[in-house]
Amino acid sequence: MYSIAEVQFLDQFTASGIYAGDQMVGFAMFGIDRDDNNYWIYRLMIDEMHQGKGYGSAAVKLVVEKIKRMNTNGIPTIMIGYNQENEGARAAYKKAGFMETEIAPWGEQLAAYKLKAEVH
């Protein structure tokens, strides 16, 4: 509920359900963070009943692809933060191409995905 309320005040963010067929299995929220002008995945959550089925890895890839399509202004990086002890998240993000960077002041492990510059 907090994320749905929060996205109302983040004009450059998108909130999206994650579905397996007709069933909602998770939630994602992402967009351009005004603090560093990078894309950030603020939320990527898979319902506990659906974890371990590959939905998280698939969702990360879909969010990255959506950001790539949205990235008309050449933003170079997608950032994400996650609990340092969440090995499932670490594996899903690494598999999608994220590289761990540093520990955030709020305690999360940060990881970056470098977007390739499009040549037009």
PDB file of all heavy atoms in Angstrom, residues 39-77:
ATOM      1  N   TYR A  39      18.153   5.746 -13.253  1.00  0.00           N
ATOM      2  CA  TYR A  39      16.968   4.920 -13.028  1.00  0.00           C
ATOM      3  C   TYR A  39      17.200   4.116 -11.760  1.00  0.00           C
ATOM      4  O   TYR A  39      18.317   3.657 -11.489  1.00  0.00           O
ATOM      5  CB  TYR A  39      16.729   3.957 -14.199  1.00  0.00           C
ATOM      6  CG  TYR A  39      16.039   4.610 -15.362  1.00  0.00           C
ATOM      7  CD1 TYR A  39      16.762   5.040 -16.457  1.00  0.00           C
ATOM      8  CD2 TYR A  39      14.665   4.814 -15.349  1.00  0.00           C
ATOM      9  CE1 TYR A  39      16.133   5.648 -17.530  1.00  0.00           C
ATOM     10  CE2 TYR A  39      14.027   5.422 -16.414  1.00  0.00           C
ATOM     11  CZ  TYR A  39      14.763   5.838 -17.494  1.00  0.00           C
ATOM     12  OH  TYR A  39      14.134   6.441 -18.548  1.00  0.00           O
ATOM     13  N   TRP A  40      16.154   3.956 -10.983  1.00  0.00           N
ATOM     14  CA  TRP A  40      16.188   3.132  -9.777  1.00  0.00           C
ATOM     15  C   TRP A  40      14.997   2.192  -9.787  1.00  0.00           C
ATOM     16  O   TRP A  40      13.887   2.594 -10.136  1.00  0.00           O
ATOM     17  CB  TRP A  40      16.113   3.997  -8.511  1.00  0.00           C
ATOM     18  CG  TRP A  40      17.442   4.512  -8.072  1.00  0.00           C
ATOM     19  CD1 TRP A  40      18.110   5.596  -8.573  1.00  0.00           C
ATOM     20  CD2 TRP A  40      18.263   3.975  -7.044  1.00  0.00           C
ATOM     21  NE1 TRP A  40      19.303   5.760  -7.912  1.00  0.00           N
ATOM     22  CE2 TRP A  40      19.417   4.781  -6.969  1.00  0.00           C
ATOM     23  CE3 TRP A  40      18.139   2.896  -6.174  1.00  0.00           C
ATOM     24  CZ2 TRP A  40      20.439   4.542  -6.062  1.00  0.00           C
ATOM     25  CZ3 TRP A  40      19.150   2.651  -5.269  1.00  0.00           C
ATOM     26  CH2 TRP A  40      20.287   3.472  -5.221  1.00  0.00           C
ATOM     27  N   ILE A  41      15.242   0.967  -9.416  1.00  0.00           N
ATOM     28  CA  ILE A  41      14.155   0.027  -9.134  1.00  0.00           C
ATOM     29  C   ILE A  41      13.947   0.118  -7.625  1.00  0.00           C
ATOM     30  O   ILE A  41      14.741  -0.412  -6.853  1.00  0.00           O
ATOM     31  CB  ILE A  41      14.501  -1.401  -9.589  1.00  0.00           C
ATOM     32  CG1 ILE A  41      14.799  -1.427 -11.092  1.00  0.00           C
ATOM     33  CG2 ILE A  41      13.346  -2.354  -9.241  1.00  0.00           C
ATOM     34  CD1 ILE A  41      15.331  -2.760 -11.608  1.00  0.00           C
ATOM     35  N   TYR A  42      12.913   0.871  -7.225  1.00  0.00           N
ATOM     36  CA  TYR A  42      12.645   1.070  -5.793  1.00  0.00           C
ATOM     37  C   TYR A  42      12.024  -0.167  -5.165  1.00  0.00           C
ATOM     38  O   TYR A  42      12.281  -0.463  -4.006  1.00  0.00           O
ATOM     39  CB  TYR A  42      11.687   2.245  -5.599  1.00  0.00           C
ATOM     40  CG  TYR A  42      12.311   3.610  -5.549  1.00  0.00           C
ATOM     41  CD1 TYR A  42      13.641   3.846  -5.884  1.00  0.00           C
ATOM     42  CD2 TYR A  42      11.543   4.691  -5.153  1.00  0.00           C
ATOM     43  CE1 TYR A  42      14.180   5.112  -5.835  1.00  0.00           C
ATOM     44  CE2 TYR A  42      12.085   5.969  -5.089  1.00  0.00           C
ATOM     45  CZ  TYR A  42      13.390   6.178  -5.434  1.00  0.00           C
ATOM     46  OH  TYR A  42      13.922   7.441  -5.373  1.00  0.00           O
ATOM     47  N   ARG A  43      11.183  -0.859  -5.908  1.00  0.00           N
ATOM     48  CA  ARG A  43      10.536  -2.058  -5.380  1.00  0.00           C
ATOM     49  C   ARG A  43      10.530  -3.126  -6.465  1.00  0.00           C
ATOM     50  O   ARG A  43      10.209  -2.855  -7.604  1.00  0.00           O
ATOM     51  CB  ARG A  43       9.073  -1.805  -4.999  1.00  0.00           C
ATOM     52  CG  ARG A  43       8.797  -0.662  -4.098  1.00  0.00           C
ATOM     53  CD  ARG A  43       9.023  -0.969  -2.634  1.00  0.00           C
ATOM     54  NE  ARG A  43       8.640   0.169  -1.827  1.00  0.00           N
ATOM     55  CZ  ARG A  43       9.323   1.298  -1.719  1.00  0.00           C
ATOM     56  NH1 ARG A  43      10.443   1.465  -2.401  1.00  0.00           N
ATOM     57  NH2 ARG A  43       8.895   2.289  -0.955  1.00  0.00           N
ATOM     58  N   LEU A  44      10.844  -4.333  -6.063  1.00  0.00           N
ATOM     59  CA  LEU A  44      10.641  -5.499  -6.906  1.00  0.00           C
ATOM     60  C   LEU A  44      10.366  -6.631  -5.925  1.00  0.00           C
ATOM     61  O   LEU A  44      11.279  -7.141  -5.290  1.00  0.00           O
ATOM     62  CB  LEU A  44      11.851  -5.807  -7.783  1.00  0.00           C
ATOM     63  CG  LEU A  44      11.487  -6.635  -9.017  1.00  0.00           C
ATOM     64  CD1 LEU A  44      12.445  -6.380 -10.141  1.00  0.00           C
ATOM     65  CD2 LEU A  44      11.335  -8.085  -8.709  1.00  0.00           C
ATOM     66  N   MET A  45       9.093  -6.930  -5.785  1.00  0.00           N
ATOM     67  CA  MET A  45       8.668  -7.881  -4.756  1.00  0.00           C
ATOM     68  C   MET A  45       7.879  -9.014  -5.400  1.00  0.00           C
ATOM     69  O   MET A  45       7.024  -8.766  -6.245  1.00  0.00           O
ATOM     70  CB  MET A  45       7.786  -7.167  -3.731  1.00  0.00           C
ATOM     71  CG  MET A  45       8.452  -5.964  -3.094  1.00  0.00           C
ATOM     72  SD  MET A  45       7.388  -5.069  -1.921  1.00  0.00           S
ATOM     73  CE  MET A  45       6.199  -4.322  -3.007  1.00  0.00           C
ATOM     74  N   ILE A  46       8.189 -10.217  -4.980  1.00  0.00           N
ATOM     75  CA  ILE A  46       7.436 -11.397  -5.391  1.00  0.00           C
ATOM     76  C   ILE A  46       6.761 -11.952  -4.143  1.00  0.00           C
ATOM     77  O   ILE A  46       7.413 -12.130  -3.102  1.00  0.00           O
ATOM     78  CB  ILE A  46       8.348 -12.471  -6.037  1.00  0.00           C
ATOM     79  CG1 ILE A  46       9.099 -11.908  -7.249  1.00  0.00           C
ATOM     80  CG2 ILE A  46       7.541 -13.715  -6.413  1.00  0.00           C
ATOM     81  CD1 ILE A  46       8.219 -11.425  -8.392  1.00  0.00           C
ATOM     82  N   ASP A  47       5.463 -12.217  -4.247  1.00  0.00           N
ATOM     83  CA  ASP A  47       4.708 -12.761  -3.130  1.00  0.00           C
ATOM     84  C   ASP A  47       5.386 -14.018  -2.601  1.00  0.00           C
ATOM     85  O   ASP A  47       5.889 -14.841  -3.378  1.00  0.00           O
ATOM     86  CB  ASP A  47       3.284 -13.083  -3.601  1.00  0.00           C
ATOM     87  CG  ASP A  47       2.412 -13.593  -2.472  1.00  0.00           C
ATOM     88  OD1 ASP A  47       2.459 -14.817  -2.202  1.00  0.00           O
ATOM     89  OD2 ASP A  47       1.695 -12.781  -1.864  1.00  0.00           O
ATOM     90  N   GLU A  48       5.408 -14.153  -1.297  1.00  0.00           N
ATOM     91  CA  GLU A  48       6.083 -15.281  -0.647  1.00  0.00           C
ATOM     92  C   GLU A  48       5.650 -16.637  -1.216  1.00  0.00           C
ATOM     93  O   GLU A  48       6.463 -17.541  -1.379  1.00  0.00           O
ATOM     94  CB  GLU A  48       5.806 -15.217   0.860  1.00  0.00           C
ATOM     95  CG  GLU A  48       6.574 -16.223   1.659  1.00  0.00           C
ATOM     96  CD  GLU A  48       6.356 -16.059   3.159  1.00  0.00           C
ATOM     97  OE1 GLU A  48       5.282 -15.570   3.558  1.00  0.00           O
ATOM     98  OE2 GLU A  48       7.274 -16.428   3.908  1.00  0.00           O
ATOM     99  N   MET A  49       4.364 -16.768  -1.547  1.00  0.00           N
ATOM    100  CA  MET A  49       3.854 -18.043  -2.075  1.00  0.00           C
ATOM    101  C   MET A  49       4.403 -18.364  -3.471  1.00  0.00           C
ATOM    102  O   MET A  49       4.322 -19.505  -3.921  1.00  0.00           O
ATOM    103  CB  MET A  49       2.322 -18.025  -2.150  1.00  0.00           C
ATOM    104  CG  MET A  49       1.644 -17.951  -0.808  1.00  0.00           C
ATOM    105  SD  MET A  49      -0.176 -18.053  -0.869  1.00  0.00           S
ATOM    106  CE  MET A  49      -0.614 -17.451  -2.463  1.00  0.00           C
ATOM    107  N   HIS A  50       4.962 -17.364  -4.146  1.00  0.00           N
ATOM    108  CA  HIS A  50       5.423 -17.564  -5.519  1.00  0.00           C
ATOM    109  C   HIS A  50       6.940 -17.440  -5.668  1.00  0.00           C
ATOM    110  O   HIS A  50       7.451 -17.472  -6.787  1.00  0.00           O
ATOM    111  CB  HIS A  50       4.721 -16.562  -6.441  1.00  0.00           C
ATOM    112  CG  HIS A  50       3.245 -16.733  -6.454  1.00  0.00           C
ATOM    113  ND1 HIS A  50       2.619 -17.787  -7.081  1.00  0.00           N
ATOM    114  CD2 HIS A  50       2.259 -15.996  -5.885  1.00  0.00           C
ATOM    115  CE1 HIS A  50       1.316 -17.682  -6.912  1.00  0.00           C
ATOM    116  NE2 HIS A  50       1.073 -16.612  -6.194  1.00  0.00           N
ATOM    117  N   GLN A  51       7.641 -17.309  -4.548  1.00  0.00           N
ATOM    118  CA  GLN A  51       9.094 -17.214  -4.619  1.00  0.00           C
ATOM    119  C   GLN A  51       9.701 -18.569  -4.951  1.00  0.00           C
ATOM    120  O   GLN A  51       9.131 -19.608  -4.664  1.00  0.00           O
ATOM    121  CB  GLN A  51       9.650 -16.666  -3.297  1.00  0.00           C
ATOM    122  CG  GLN A  51       9.255 -15.223  -3.076  1.00  0.00           C
ATOM    123  CD  GLN A  51       9.745 -14.665  -1.753  1.00  0.00           C
ATOM    124  OE1 GLN A  51      10.478 -15.314  -1.011  1.00  0.00           O
ATOM    125  NE2 GLN A  51       9.323 -13.448  -1.451  1.00  0.00           N
ATOM    126  N   GLY A  52      10.872 -18.529  -5.593  1.00  0.00           N
ATOM    127  CA  GLY A  52      11.561 -19.764  -5.951  1.00  0.00           C
ATOM    128  C   GLY A  52      11.048 -20.406  -7.225  1.00  0.00           C
ATOM    129  O   GLY A  52      11.427 -21.526  -7.559  1.00  0.00           O
ATOM    130  N   LYS A  53      10.199 -19.694  -7.974  1.00  0.00           N
ATOM    131  CA  LYS A  53       9.631 -20.232  -9.214  1.00  0.00           C
ATOM    132  C   LYS A  53      10.165 -19.525 -10.453  1.00  0.00           C
ATOM    133  O   LYS A  53       9.686 -19.764 -11.555  1.00  0.00           O
ATOM    134  CB  LYS A  53       8.105 -20.106  -9.177  1.00  0.00           C
ATOM    135  CG  LYS A  53       7.454 -20.870  -8.033  1.00  0.00           C
ATOM    136  CD  LYS A  53       5.955 -20.667  -8.021  1.00  0.00           C
ATOM    137  CE  LYS A  53       5.305 -21.399  -6.863  1.00  0.00           C
ATOM    138  NZ  LYS A  53       3.849 -21.168  -6.812  1.00  0.00           N
ATOM    139  N   GLY A  54      11.143 -18.625 -10.267  1.00  0.00           N
ATOM    140  CA  GLY A  54      11.721 -17.925 -11.412  1.00  0.00           C
ATOM    141  C   GLY A  54      11.051 -16.612 -11.766  1.00  0.00           C
ATOM    142  O   GLY A  54      11.481 -15.923 -12.689  1.00  0.00           O
ATOM    143  N   TYR A  55       9.997 -16.241 -11.026  1.00  0.00           N
ATOM    144  CA  TYR A  55       9.292 -14.999 -11.342  1.00  0.00           C
ATOM    145  C   TYR A  55      10.157 -13.761 -11.077  1.00  0.00           C
ATOM    146  O   TYR A  55      10.082 -12.780 -11.816  1.00  0.00           O
ATOM    147  CB  TYR A  55       7.986 -14.882 -10.552  1.00  0.00           C
ATOM    148  CG  TYR A  55       6.966 -15.944 -10.889  1.00  0.00           C
ATOM    149  CD1 TYR A  55       6.283 -16.608  -9.890  1.00  0.00           C
ATOM    150  CD2 TYR A  55       6.692 -16.283 -12.217  1.00  0.00           C
ATOM    151  CE1 TYR A  55       5.340 -17.582 -10.196  1.00  0.00           C
ATOM    152  CE2 TYR A  55       5.758 -17.261 -12.521  1.00  0.00           C
ATOM    153  CZ  TYR A  55       5.083 -17.901 -11.512  1.00  0.00           C
ATOM    154  OH  TYR A  55       4.155 -18.867 -11.823  1.00  0.00           O
ATOM    155  N   GLY A  56      10.967 -13.803 -10.044  1.00  0.00           N
ATOM    156  CA  GLY A  56      11.829 -12.665  -9.724  1.00  0.00           C
ATOM    157  C   GLY A  56      12.826 -12.397 -10.831  1.00  0.00           C
ATOM    158  O   GLY A  56      12.973 -11.261 -11.292  1.00  0.00           O
ATOM    159  N   SER A  57      13.499 -13.442 -11.297  1.00  0.00           N
ATOM    160  CA  SER A  57      14.470 -13.287 -12.385  1.00  0.00           C
ATOM    161  C   SER A  57      13.796 -12.779 -13.654  1.00  0.00           C
ATOM    162  O   SER A  57      14.314 -11.894 -14.339  1.00  0.00           O
ATOM    163  CB  SER A  57      15.167 -14.621 -12.679  1.00  0.00           C
ATOM    164  OG  SER A  57      15.992 -14.978 -11.594  1.00  0.00           O
ATOM    165  N   ALA A  58      12.638 -13.330 -13.966  1.00  0.00           N
ATOM    166  CA  ALA A  58      11.909 -12.890 -15.160  1.00  0.00           C
ATOM    167  C   ALA A  58      11.464 -11.433 -15.012  1.00  0.00           C
ATOM    168  O   ALA A  58      11.562 -10.649 -15.964  1.00  0.00           O
ATOM    169  CB  ALA A  58      10.703 -13.793 -15.403  1.00  0.00           C
ATOM    170  N   ALA A  59      11.022 -11.063 -13.820  1.00  0.00           N
ATOM    171  CA  ALA A  59      10.560  -9.689 -13.582  1.00  0.00           C
ATOM    172  C   ALA A  59      11.707  -8.691 -13.718  1.00  0.00           C
ATOM    173  O   ALA A  59      11.532  -7.621 -14.302  1.00  0.00           O
ATOM    174  CB  ALA A  59       9.912  -9.581 -12.208  1.00  0.00           C
ATOM    175  N   VAL A  60      12.883  -9.033 -13.190  1.00  0.00           N
ATOM    176  CA  VAL A  60      14.050  -8.142 -13.311  1.00  0.00           C
ATOM    177  C   VAL A  60      14.340  -7.890 -14.787  1.00  0.00           C
ATOM    178  O   VAL A  60      14.522  -6.745 -15.216  1.00  0.00           O
ATOM    179  CB  VAL A  60      15.298  -8.724 -12.612  1.00  0.00           C
ATOM    180  CG1 VAL A  60      16.522  -7.868 -12.898  1.00  0.00           C
ATOM    181  CG2 VAL A  60      15.083  -8.850 -11.128  1.00  0.00           C
ATOM    182  N   LYS A  61      14.357  -8.938 -15.589  1.00  0.00           N
ATOM    183  CA  LYS A  61      14.650  -8.800 -17.019  1.00  0.00           C
ATOM    184  C   LYS A  61      13.603  -7.927 -17.710  1.00  0.00           C
ATOM    185  O   LYS A  61      13.939  -7.084 -18.546  1.00  0.00           O
ATOM    186  CB  LYS A  61      14.728 -10.169 -17.680  1.00  0.00           C
ATOM    187  CG  LYS A  61      15.951 -10.960 -17.262  1.00  0.00           C
ATOM    188  CD  LYS A  61      15.959 -12.333 -17.889  1.00  0.00           C
ATOM    189  CE  LYS A  61      17.088 -13.162 -17.312  1.00  0.00           C
ATOM    190  NZ  LYS A  61      17.049 -14.545 -17.761  1.00  0.00           N
ATOM    191  N   LEU A  62      12.322  -8.128 -17.362  1.00  0.00           N
ATOM    192  CA  LEU A  62      11.260  -7.325 -17.973  1.00  0.00           C
ATOM    193  C   LEU A  62      11.368  -5.850 -17.584  1.00  0.00           C
ATOM    194  O   LEU A  62      11.188  -4.970 -18.434  1.00  0.00           O
ATOM    195  CB  LEU A  62       9.889  -7.873 -17.577  1.00  0.00           C
ATOM    196  CG  LEU A  62       9.495  -9.195 -18.216  1.00  0.00           C
ATOM    197  CD1 LEU A  62       8.205  -9.733 -17.594  1.00  0.00           C
ATOM    198  CD2 LEU A  62       9.331  -9.031 -19.724  1.00  0.00           C
ATOM    199  N   VAL A  63      11.678  -5.575 -16.323  1.00  0.00           N
ATOM    200  CA  VAL A  63      11.827  -4.188 -15.880  1.00  0.00           C
ATOM    201  C   VAL A  63      13.010  -3.533 -16.588  1.00  0.00           C
ATOM    202  O   VAL A  63      12.912  -2.396 -17.064  1.00  0.00           O
ATOM    203  CB  VAL A  63      11.957  -4.095 -14.341  1.00  0.00           C
ATOM    204  CG1 VAL A  63      12.378  -2.701 -13.905  1.00  0.00           C
ATOM    205  CG2 VAL A  63      10.639  -4.480 -13.671  1.00  0.00           C
ATOM    206  N   VAL A  64      14.120  -4.236 -16.693  1.00  0.00           N
ATOM    207  CA  VAL A  64      15.298  -3.693 -17.394  1.00  0.00           C
ATOM    208  C   VAL A  64      14.943  -3.384 -18.848  1.00  0.00           C
ATOM    209  O   VAL A  64      15.282  -2.314 -19.368  1.00  0.00           O
ATOM    210  CB  VAL A  64      16.506  -4.652 -17.294  1.00  0.00           C
ATOM    211  CG1 VAL A  64      17.604  -4.258 -18.272  1.00  0.00           C
ATOM    212  CG2 VAL A  64      17.045  -4.677 -15.870  1.00  0.00           C
ATOM    213  N   GLU A  65      14.238  -4.290 -19.513  1.00  0.00           N
ATOM    214  CA  GLU A  65      13.851  -4.057 -20.906  1.00  0.00           C
ATOM    215  C   GLU A  65      12.907  -2.866 -21.036  1.00  0.00           C
ATOM    216  O   GLU A  65      13.032  -2.068 -21.972  1.00  0.00           O
ATOM    217  CB  GLU A  65      13.228  -5.318 -21.519  1.00  0.00           C
ATOM    218  CG  GLU A  65      14.224  -6.431 -21.752  1.00  0.00           C
ATOM    219  CD  GLU A  65      15.420  -6.004 -22.587  1.00  0.00           C
ATOM    220  OE1 GLU A  65      15.233  -5.367 -23.645  1.00  0.00           O
ATOM    221  OE2 GLU A  65      16.567  -6.302 -22.176  1.00  0.00           O
ATOM    222  N   LYS A  66      11.985  -2.731 -20.099  1.00  0.00           N
ATOM    223  CA  LYS A  66      11.065  -1.583 -20.133  1.00  0.00           C
ATOM    224  C   LYS A  66      11.839  -0.280 -19.936  1.00  0.00           C
ATOM    225  O   LYS A  66      11.600   0.707 -20.627  1.00  0.00           O
ATOM    226  CB  LYS A  66       9.974  -1.737 -19.079  1.00  0.00           C
ATOM    227  CG  LYS A  66       8.921  -0.664 -19.178  1.00  0.00           C
ATOM    228  CD  LYS A  66       7.669  -1.022 -18.429  1.00  0.00           C
ATOM    229  CE  LYS A  66       6.584  -0.019 -18.761  1.00  0.00           C
ATOM    230  NZ  LYS A  66       5.283  -0.473 -18.384  1.00  0.00           N
ATOM    231  N   ILE A  67      12.787  -0.265 -19.005  1.00  0.00           N
ATOM    232  CA  ILE A  67      13.599   0.934 -18.782  1.00  0.00           C
ATOM    233  C   ILE A  67      14.410   1.253 -20.036  1.00  0.00           C
ATOM    234  O   ILE A  67      14.512   2.430 -20.427  1.00  0.00           O
ATOM    235  CB  ILE A  67      14.501   0.769 -17.539  1.00  0.00           C
ATOM    236  CG1 ILE A  67      13.642   0.796 -16.270  1.00  0.00           C
ATOM    237  CG2 ILE A  67      15.567   1.869 -17.498  1.00  0.00           C
ATOM    238  CD1 ILE A  67      14.385   0.455 -14.992  1.00  0.00           C
ATOM    239  N   LYS A  68      14.966   0.253 -20.674  1.00  0.00           N
ATOM    240  CA  LYS A  68      15.728   0.494 -21.908  1.00  0.00           C
ATOM    241  C   LYS A  68      14.854   1.191 -22.957  1.00  0.00           C
ATOM    242  O   LYS A  68      15.308   2.117 -23.631  1.00  0.00           O
ATOM    243  CB  LYS A  68      16.271  -0.818 -22.478  1.00  0.00           C
ATOM    244  CG  LYS A  68      17.456  -1.375 -21.733  1.00  0.00           C
ATOM    245  CD  LYS A  68      17.906  -2.682 -22.377  1.00  0.00           C
ATOM    246  CE  LYS A  68      19.101  -3.270 -21.688  1.00  0.00           C
ATOM    247  NZ  LYS A  68      19.522  -4.550 -22.301  1.00  0.00           N
ATOM    248  N   ARG A  69      13.601   0.751 -23.089  1.00  0.00           N
ATOM    249  CA  ARG A  69      12.691   1.375 -24.056  1.00  0.00           C
ATOM    250  C   ARG A  69      12.323   2.801 -23.645  1.00  0.00           C
ATOM    251  O   ARG A  69      12.127   3.661 -24.492  1.00  0.00           O
ATOM    252  CB  ARG A  69      11.421   0.535 -24.223  1.00  0.00           C
ATOM    253  CG  ARG A  69      11.660  -0.771 -24.977  1.00  0.00           C
ATOM    254  CD  ARG A  69      10.365  -1.452 -25.357  1.00  0.00           C
ATOM    255  NE  ARG A  69       9.474  -1.725 -24.241  1.00  0.00           N
ATOM    256  CZ  ARG A  69       9.526  -2.800 -23.462  1.00  0.00           C
ATOM    257  NH1 ARG A  69      10.442  -3.722 -23.666  1.00  0.00           N
ATOM    258  NH2 ARG A  69       8.653  -2.960 -22.486  1.00  0.00           N
ATOM    259  N   MET A  70      12.222   3.049 -22.352  1.00  0.00           N
ATOM    260  CA  MET A  70      11.858   4.376 -21.837  1.00  0.00           C
ATOM    261  C   MET A  70      13.032   5.349 -21.878  1.00  0.00           C
ATOM    262  O   MET A  70      12.830   6.556 -21.830  1.00  0.00           O
ATOM    263  CB  MET A  70      11.393   4.258 -20.374  1.00  0.00           C
ATOM    264  CG  MET A  70      10.109   3.502 -20.180  1.00  0.00           C
ATOM    265  SD  MET A  70       9.751   3.098 -18.432  1.00  0.00           S
ATOM    266  CE  MET A  70       9.996   4.636 -17.588  1.00  0.00           C
ATOM    267  N   ASN A  71      14.247   4.849 -21.931  1.00  0.00           N
ATOM    268  CA  ASN A  71      15.448   5.653 -21.749  1.00  0.00           C
ATOM    269  C   ASN A  71      15.796   6.462 -23.006  1.00  0.00           C
ATOM    270  O   ASN A  71      16.791   6.201 -23.666  1.00  0.00           O
ATOM    271  CB  ASN A  71      16.622   4.757 -21.338  1.00  0.00           C
ATOM    272  CG  ASN A  71      17.821   5.565 -20.897  1.00  0.00           C
ATOM    273  OD1 ASN A  71      17.714   6.725 -20.536  1.00  0.00           O
ATOM    274  ND2 ASN A  71      18.985   4.931 -20.931  1.00  0.00           N
ATOM    275  N   THR A  72      14.998   7.460 -23.276  1.00  0.00           N
ATOM    276  CA  THR A  72      15.238   8.310 -24.447  1.00  0.00           C
ATOM    277  C   THR A  72      16.203   9.451 -24.147  1.00  0.00           C
ATOM    278  O   THR A  72      16.613  10.166 -25.048  1.00  0.00           O
ATOM    279  CB  THR A  72      13.914   8.902 -24.952  1.00  0.00           C
ATOM    280  OG1 THR A  72      13.313   9.660 -23.898  1.00  0.00           O
ATOM    281  CG2 THR A  72      12.979   7.805 -25.427  1.00  0.00           C
ATOM    282  N   ASN A  73      16.563   9.618 -22.878  1.00  0.00           N
ATOM    283  CA  ASN A  73      17.436  10.736 -22.492  1.00  0.00           C
ATOM    284  C   ASN A  73      18.857  10.285 -22.132  1.00  0.00           C
ATOM    285  O   ASN A  73      19.612  11.060 -21.569  1.00  0.00           O
ATOM    286  CB  ASN A  73      16.801  11.538 -21.358  1.00  0.00           C
ATOM    287  CG  ASN A  73      16.210  10.656 -20.280  1.00  0.00           C
ATOM    288  OD1 ASN A  73      16.373   9.442 -20.319  1.00  0.00           O
ATOM    289  ND2 ASN A  73      15.519  11.246 -19.344  1.00  0.00           N
ATOM    290  N   GLY A  74      19.233   9.061 -22.454  1.00  0.00           N
ATOM    291  CA  GLY A  74      20.616   8.611 -22.306  1.00  0.00           C
ATOM    292  C   GLY A  74      21.103   8.406 -20.881  1.00  0.00           C
ATOM    293  O   GLY A  74      22.306   8.477 -20.628  1.00  0.00           O
ATOM    294  N   ILE A  75      20.202   8.128 -19.956  1.00  0.00           N
ATOM    295  CA  ILE A  75      20.626   7.852 -18.580  1.00  0.00           C
ATOM    296  C   ILE A  75      21.466   6.571 -18.603  1.00  0.00           C
ATOM    297  O   ILE A  75      21.060   5.567 -19.179  1.00  0.00           O
ATOM    298  CB  ILE A  75      19.413   7.743 -17.642  1.00  0.00           C
ATOM    299  CG1 ILE A  75      18.760   9.127 -17.525  1.00  0.00           C
ATOM    300  CG2 ILE A  75      19.807   7.183 -16.282  1.00  0.00           C
ATOM    301  CD1 ILE A  75      17.472   9.145 -16.756  1.00  0.00           C
ATOM    302  N   PRO A  76      22.654   6.600 -17.974  1.00  0.00           N
ATOM    303  CA  PRO A  76      23.595   5.488 -18.142  1.00  0.00           C
ATOM    304  C   PRO A  76      23.407   4.291 -17.207  1.00  0.00           C
ATOM    305  O   PRO A  76      23.967   3.239 -17.468  1.00  0.00           O
ATOM    306  CB  PRO A  76      24.951   6.140 -17.867  1.00  0.00           C
ATOM    307  CG  PRO A  76      24.637   7.241 -16.896  1.00  0.00           C
ATOM    308  CD  PRO A  76      23.274   7.747 -17.300  1.00  0.00           C
ATOM    309  N   THR A  77      22.636   4.437 -16.117  1.00  0.00           N
ATOM    310  CA  THR A  77      22.667   3.405 -15.082  1.00  0.00           C
ATOM    311  C   THR A  77      21.285   3.135 -14.496  1.00  0.00           C
ATOM    312  O   THR A  77      20.500   4.056 -14.295  1.00  0.00           O
ATOM    313  CB  THR A  77      23.611   3.836 -13.933  1.00  0.00           C
ATOM    314  OG1 THR A  77      24.886   4.171 -14.480  1.00  0.00           O
ATOM    315  CG2 THR A  77      23.785   2.737 -12.903  1.00  0.00           C
TER     316      THR A  77
END
